[in-house]
Amino acid sequence: MSALLEVNGVSVSFDGFKAINNLSFSIGEPEMRAVIGPNGAGKTTFMDIITGKTRPDEGEVLWGEENRSLLRMSEAQIAQAGVGRKFQRPTVFEDQSVRDNLMVALKKDRTPWAALTYRGSDADSARIEELATEIGLLDHLSTTAGILSHGQKQWLEIGMLLAQEPRLLLVDEPAAGMSTEEREHTTDILVNAAKTKAVVVVEHDMDFVRRLNCRVTVLHEGSVLAEGSLDHVMANQEVIDVYLGR
Amino acid sequence: MRAMKTVPYFLAVLFAVVLGVTILSQAYGTGGISVSFTKVLGMTLCLCLAALAMDLVWGYCGILSLGHFAFFGLGGYMVGMWLMTARTEAVVRANMANNVIPPTEAEISQGTALQIFSVVGAEDWPWMWAVSDSLFLSLLLVVLIPGLLALVFGWLAFRSRVTGVYLSILTQAMTLALSLYLFQNDTGLRGNNGLSGLQNIPGVSAGQSYLSIWFFWASALALALGYVGSAWVVSGKFGNVVRGIRDDEQRVRFLGYSVEGYKLFVFVLSAVICGIAGALFYPQAGIINPDEIAPIASIYLAVWVAIGGRGRLYGAVIGAALVSLLSTYFTGGRAPDVNLGIFTIQWIDWWPVLLGLGFVLITLFAPNGIAGLFDKLVRK
Ligand SMILES: Nc1ncnc2c1ncn2[C@@H]1O[C@H](COP(=O)(O)OP(=O)(O)O)[C@@H](O)[C@H]1O
Ligand SMILES: [Mg+2]
């Protein structure tokens, strides 16, 4: 299994404060990976760097078989290359229907002209329904996204990621504010996605991470503190200090 | 799809208005409407078209441009150059016809230039009048020049991710700079004199009563086409993407869409629509000068759209029609002053206050404007 994404020695500072410090990370395809770490560890910033939102001061981010550098690409180009991202706060198009949210996300030509002349096909409708079923929103296809519950918005956003057919999914705190059943459904969606894709999940909740049943990377002060199975990292004295010493 | 559904209703209302005005016109009807009021109505339709463009860029794409009247004015200037050249040339030709030695084309051209530019102390054709003798090329410029300015400005602004109030200020600066530039006497467009006599269409011998209704029809046609075109643009997937940009630019970007490209597309499209609206407006107004594109004009455009209701094409049209007609009424000296005994309300002075108050009230109590209230009624 060769790496799909490789992050090497990346650092970034905000006004002299090092949010990411010489961080290296790599993930294959398919693979599920959980990234944990205390608040302010740099988890969101790490995703910002991969998706092109934040440019690192040093280091490299390599993508795919040809090891293309993502650092010279725009956010849109990175997304088109196959990186999908879910934000920490659920962000969906609130005044559009669930169907339209998914339709906009479907993997298609992204140029203005293509959008102007787009005519939905039966295959597209079928795909939208399939996605809606997976995220449990089949009955809400015509619902305006703004009136969905918090958990449903999170799912819709995950559904939009899946609609993009990315090779790598970056999912920032998907279970925040969810009930226990909702969390379980979320786990199912992610585990299912990880059968064919690389999935990186940032999460605080240890039970949630345990259910993902995958390799864990612990971030602390912008660097990787430990990596391995959940039990392995939780036995690490440094990790215990970081988590319990707060 | 919502916007496309309004098309038949909109066209029906517009057609009824056109029919009514035609029946009351001097040229073809009872003569119940004066020529000058026909022109006011025709110009109002052009303003509605500009408001439609403003709604595309602001109501749908979330770009609060406060410079769109620059494009409107440029459209007017482009057609104005042809109108002035052709008409002045005809006059010069007629004057020289009685000369003992028949004038050469060069002499006619010189004479025309002298006529046009003597007010600013010049006598040669400025470079920007190079195609003013060709109607076809001038009409092409009506589309190209506003489009090009919007393309260059938008490319620079959007590429640098300028958004929100900063972008609004930048668009104000753009229209201010353009108007100050045109105010210069030596920039070739006759400084503060502007272009005048635009109501006379060269080669057309029909009187103003006919011209006024023809221009009214043309303006109505442009508005109808603009409405159908805009509704088509915003009702498909393009509309979903653009509204997505308005509501959450970041989300659209991380879905893989080039937000800058979409913004540029809408910005340029709306600038072109404004240019066309201006090109139809100024032959009815008869005169254009740099004051027309002063920053305040573009702010008014935004106010109309806000009052009418953003993100609903007909809202922009309602707002522009209502406010500009009321404005004509109150500032045209026809509204009776209100005598309060110790104090007399003179509408010329108090209309801006009334407008401002209306704007504040609408913003506070009907954030979706008049069209929003209308929507509520229809749904009940
Ligand atoms: N744009 C920014 N400007 C300044 N500081 C930032 C910025 N983004 C993140 N930070 C800081 O970087 C650190 C890491 O933040 P973040 O990546 O959001 O942490 P996490 O997601 O792990 O909680 C925090 O201390 C945060 O305050
Ligand atoms: Mg975070």
Side-chain angles (χ1 to χ4, degrees), chain B residues 10 25 112 162 182 331-332:
Chain B
F10 180 81
S25 70
T112 310
V162 182
L182 293 176
T331 58

Side-chain angles (χ1 to χ4, degrees), chain A residues 12-15 17-20 35-48 53-54 88 172-173 202 204 219 221-222:
Chain A
V12 67
S13 36
F14 298 114
D15 307 322
F17 168 75
K18 272 212 157 168
I20 296 288
V35 175
I36 62 173
N39 253 333
K43 305 181 296 292
T44 300
T45 307
F46 164 66
M47 293 194 169
D48 286 347
K53 190 174 173 216
T54 299
Q88 193 163 340
D172 204 348
E173 306 205 14
V202 163
H204 273 300
L219 280 197
E221 290 178 351

Side-chain angles (χ1 to χ4, degrees), chain B residues 77-257:
Chain B
Y77 266 104
M78 293 308 130
V79 81
M81 282 193 277
W82 174 77
L83 285 167
M84 227 181 148
T85 302
R87 166 155 172 86
T88 311
E89 192 189 303
V91 171
V92 168
R93 219 176 262 283
N95 285 346
M96 287 184 167
N98 301 329
N99 287 8
V100 187
I101 310 162
T104 63
E105 284 305 306
E107 280 169 340
I108 288 173
S109 171
Q110 258 171 21
T112 310
L114 189 65
Q115 278 272 322
I116 295 176
F117 300 108
S118 57
V119 283
V120 288
E123 53 189 47
D124 293 322
W125 290 103
W127 62 267
M128 59 184 70
W129 290 66
V131 303
S132 69
D133 55 346
S134 157
L135 174 60
F136 174 74
L137 291 178
S138 296
L139 290 181
L140 206 61
L141 288 190
V142 164
V143 172
L144 283 185
I145 296 298
L148 206 64
L149 176 63
L151 187 72
V152 172
F153 178 90
W155 188 73
L156 292 171
F158 301 143
R159 193 191 51 143
S160 318
R161 304 262 169 103
V162 182
T163 53
V165 67
Y166 301 100
L167 189 92
S168 302
I169 292 170
L170 220 54
T171 55
Q172 279 268 282
M174 173 193 74
T175 192
L176 178 64
L178 186 66
S179 107
L180 291 179
Y181 174 77
L182 293 176
F183 262 123
Q184 310 284 316
N185 273 342
D186 52 5
T187 47
L189 286 164
R190 302 192 354 137
N192 63 346
N193 305 288
L195 309 180
S196 54
L198 308 182
Q199 72 278 13
N200 304 302
I201 309 302
V204 178
S205 54
Q208 288 297 318
S209 63
Y210 284 93
L211 281 174
S212 63
I213 193 77
W214 292 347
F215 265 99
F216 176 81
W217 289 340
S219 306
L221 182 67
L223 180 59
L225 291 176
Y227 195 91
V228 175
S230 302
W232 178 72
V233 163
V234 298
S235 58
K237 179 175 170 186
F238 187 89
N240 289 101
V241 176
V242 161
R243 281 186 290 143
I245 290 172
R246 175 191 68 193
D247 296 338
D248 199 330
E249 183 171 320
Q250 203 75 294
R251 178 73 273 169
V252 179
R253 195 169 275 137
F254 287 110
L255 281 175
Y257 290 94

Side-chain angles (χ1 to χ4, degrees), chain A residues 80 85 95-96 104 110 157, chain B residues 240 247 251 255-257:
Chain A
Q80 283 181 17
R85 173 175 189 179
D95 86 283
Q96 302 186 29
V104 165
R110 293 314 204 201
E157 196 179 357
Chain B
N240 289 101
D247 296 338
R251 178 73 273 169
L255 281 175
Y257 290 94

Side-chain angles (χ1 to χ4, degrees), chain A residues 6-186:
Chain A
E6 237 185 87
V7 176
N8 290 326
V10 162
S11 299
V12 67
S13 36
F14 298 114
D15 307 322
F17 168 75
K18 272 212 157 168
I20 296 288
N21 188 6
N22 193 22
L23 180 128
S24 296
F25 178 93
S26 141
I27 187 167
E29 180 188 32
E31 186 185 341
M32 169 79 85
R33 178 78 59 87
V35 175
I36 62 173
N39 253 333
K43 305 181 296 292
T44 300
T45 307
F46 164 66
M47 293 194 169
D48 286 347
I49 289 171
I50 297 171
T51 53
K53 190 174 173 216
T54 299
R55 302 285 163 189
D57 304 327
E58 47 190 296
E60 52 180 17
V61 179
L62 300 175
W63 171 258
E65 287 71 22
E66 290 131 43
N67 283 330
R68 270 204 294 164
S69 171
L70 293 185
L71 298 182
R72 275 185 294 277
M73 291 159 66
S74 72
E75 295 98 317
Q77 286 169 329
I78 292 173
Q80 283 181 17
V83 180
R85 173 175 189 179
K86 196 198 116 19
F87 289 92
Q88 193 163 340
R89 195 173 51 80
T91 51
V92 296
F93 303 125
E94 305 242 336
D95 86 283
Q96 302 186 29
S97 67
V98 169
R99 186 191 304 279
D100 282 351
N101 269 276
L102 291 172
M103 183 267 291
V104 165
L106 280 185
K107 185 175 175 151
K108 296 275 167 191
D109 189 347
R110 293 314 204 201
T111 57
W113 184 249
L116 269 176
T117 53
Y118 172 82
R119 290 283 160 268
S121 65
D122 289 347
D124 291 349
S125 302
R127 177 81 184 117
I128 288 172
E129 277 167 29
E130 188 185 333
L131 285 162
T133 311
E134 178 157 11
I135 57 174
L137 293 177
L138 187 60
D139 295 337
H140 296 280
L141 274 177
S142 305
T143 309
T144 307
I147 63 173
L148 294 176
S149 73
H150 178 82
Q152 288 173 321
K153 282 184 194 169
Q154 300 269 37
W155 290 335
L156 177 56
E157 196 179 357
I158 294 174
M160 289 163 74
L161 289 201
L162 297 174
Q164 274 178 271
E165 294 176 29
R167 297 177 67 184
L168 169 67
L169 266 87
L170 303 172
V171 190
D172 204 348
E173 306 205 14
M178 282 189 172
S179 68
T180 314
E181 295 107 81
E182 286 176 331
R183 277 162 197 254
E184 273 168 21
H185 184 190
T186 307

